[in-house]
Amino acid sequence: MTALRAAGILALCLSVGSLLALAAASRTGGNSVGPVSSRVRCYAGGDQVIVVASSEEIEVREAEGIRLFVGATVPQAFVAYPQPRNVTVAYPPAGPGAPPLPAPPTQRPQFSGGELMVLRADEGRAIGLPLAVLSGDPVELAQRVEELASGRSQLESPRWASGSYLTGSVGIPEAGRWYAVVVAVARADSPIPADSTVDCDVFMDLEARVYPGPSQALRSAYLAAAGALLILLDRVRSRREGWSPPS
Amino acid sequence: MRLLEVLEEYLSVSLGRNAYAFPLGALAASIAAGLFGLGAAVSQVALSPGQIPPNAVSAGLALSHLVFGFVVMALAGTLAGELKSEATFHLSLPMRKEEYAVAWLAAAVWVPVALEIVAPLVPIAVLDPRLVTGVVVEPLIYRAVEDAFVFGTILWVSLLRRKGLVTVYGLGVILLLPMMVGLSLGAVGAFSGRRTWVTRVVGSALPATSSMIGVGPSGAWWVPALVSGLLAAGTQAGFVLWIGRRLEVT
């Protein structure tokens, strides 16, 4: 095997290897980039809890072959009802061995659905994000976000833990500044008293995925073409060397 | 120019089917490196484009080292067999013994080292060529100089003309070296942060392996590269001199 031919085969192999590596890497799921800080509020009304969260601005830079996703996990909301009236505490418990205060009755509402949306930062700022989640009507905010969203994804519970938490991710369409907003609804077994304490949380994180596109295929094709050209040159050279002019 | 022609002619004859080991090794290395290194690369790129973290390259380099280590072992086995039986034929060609030695160094050290460095970078370059400029170079240099030294020692063992010995030694330095280095460094307390002359010597002679097990060389990055590079140059120069002056073809 001549050096030219070996180099050609090498280029072909590297081209195939790179394509296979990119294809495999794009199927292995997301690679965590880091958490995204967010503001969360839960609203209790009737027998339902609405969880609304907005991320801080997310800046996505231009990078070829990479797509960023915002992932969100919404753990189960926790409702602590007010202390029942018939429970009285005769003395404040103090010191070791003192009887503990009776815990208020609690409930963990089951999620019935949720959505994760991304919208451009300028549009998000126009509706007051991220602080808008801390005040105002959650239903109205959810409607405004839905109208403006550039991308959305339904949050789902895993089968083995139906309703106990929600998770999902949505792709950020392009480079720029973005907000991610989560709206999730959980239903309680019974009406929630107005003075109850409702705890909820939303964890957001950014993940990057290899997303090969036409430019990667083109680069790989260039490499393969260079390899094929080297092999062709080698064949031409070997034919010329084998050919001798007639005497 | 003549040397290049002689090398090409000799290698095309002597390597034969082994020549396919290079592209196949590069194929395996690029797939493995892409699979295990691209994840770390893309997550970093999302934060600060233009910077590829060392771990994104190190995982690929370690796998690439493994693949090309086996290629070198196979080639050194071929040299051992050739020195035992067929070297008379090759050395009867219009070729000096030194050229014969350099041809083998090119085939079993320089080309594999170059390919093991290039193969993990190709998937990154195909993803986005601008990313290659952000790759941290220390792991690449450490791996190149260390393997130029280690692969050179495998060639030295092939001078004993025993394929079995080449295999045992090759497997030892390719598969067991990190474990042996780890045990020796653990024995002197390197993992608890203690720096002794043993850690400095091992870190300087084998910078890539010691970095891989988490006890990287301390101080200026170029010192271990220089020490390991000098060891590699010495091993290879010794190989050429030994073949040129001491090799007797029976």
Side-chain angles (χ1 to χ4, degrees), chain A residues 1-6 9-10 13-18 20-22 24-25 28 31-33 59 61-66 68 208-212 215-216 219-220 223 237, chain B residues 8 11-13 16 19-20 22-24 26-27 30-35 38-49 115 118-119 122-123 125-131:
Chain A
M1 191 195 284
T2 63
L4 212 55
R5 189 179 175 81
I9 295 174
L10 179 68
C13 283
L14 284 173
S15 161
V16 173
S18 303
L20 288 176
L22 289 180
T28 51
N31 304 280
S32 178
V33 174
E59 188 182 356
R61 294 174 185 173
E62 186 72 51
E64 277 188 49
I66 297 168
L68 286 174
R209 292 182 198 169
V210 177
Y211 214 79
S215 50
Q216 282 70 39
R219 268 180 222 124
S220 194
L223 194 57
R237 194 178 74 164
Chain B
E8 189 188 350
L11 288 175
S12 64
V13 174
Y20 285 102
F22 294 120
L24 289 179
L27 174 72
S30 60
I31 293 175
L35 261 179
L38 276 180
V42 297
S43 52
Q44 175 67 32
V45 167
L47 283 177
S48 53
L115 287 181
V118 169
V122 175
V126 168
L127 188 68
D128 188 345
R130 291 170 298 178
L131 298 181

Side-chain angles (χ1 to χ4, degrees), chain A residues 31-206:
Chain A
N31 304 280
S32 178
V33 174
V36 177
S37 58
S38 56
R39 293 168 192 267
V40 189
R41 191 174 175 197
C42 31
Y43 300 85
D47 62 345
Q48 70 176 15
V49 174
I50 301 175
V51 181
V52 184
S54 167
S55 69
E56 299 290 342
E57 269 188 22
I58 302 167
E59 188 182 356
V60 175
R61 294 174 185 173
E62 186 72 51
E64 277 188 49
I66 297 168
R67 199 165 164 202
L68 286 174
F69 285 75
V70 182
T73 303
V74 190
Q76 206 163 25
F78 177 87
V79 180
Y81 289 98
Q83 201 68 251
R85 289 182 191 279
N86 58 355
V87 175
T88 53
V89 181
Y91 54 90
L101 274 171
T106 59
Q107 197 189 119
R108 289 181 178 276
Q110 295 282 303
F111 281 112
S112 56
E115 202 167 15
L116 171 62
M117 294 163 278
V118 285
L119 64 161
R120 292 181 193 284
D122 51 349
E123 292 172 337
R125 277 194 296 268
I127 58 171
L129 289 180
L131 294 173
V133 297
L134 302 178
S135 58
D137 183 9
V139 178
E140 191 184 323
L141 178 67
Q143 281 171 349
R144 292 297 310 277
V145 172
E146 268 185 32
E147 286 166 10
L148 298 170
S150 303
R152 67 181 64 186
S153 165
Q154 290 293 325
L155 295 172
E156 287 172 0
S157 280
R159 272 187 201 165
W160 50 269
S162 180
S164 61
Y165 73 94
L166 294 173
T167 184
S169 65
V170 63
I172 297 178
E174 58 191 49
R177 290 175 175 270
W178 298 85
Y179 281 109
V181 177
V182 166
V183 179
V185 178
R187 294 202 176 279
D189 295 335
S190 53
I192 300 167
D195 50 353
S196 303
T197 310
V198 185
D199 278 337
C200 60
D201 223 333
V202 172
F203 302 107
M204 290 195 204
D205 65 340
L206 205 57

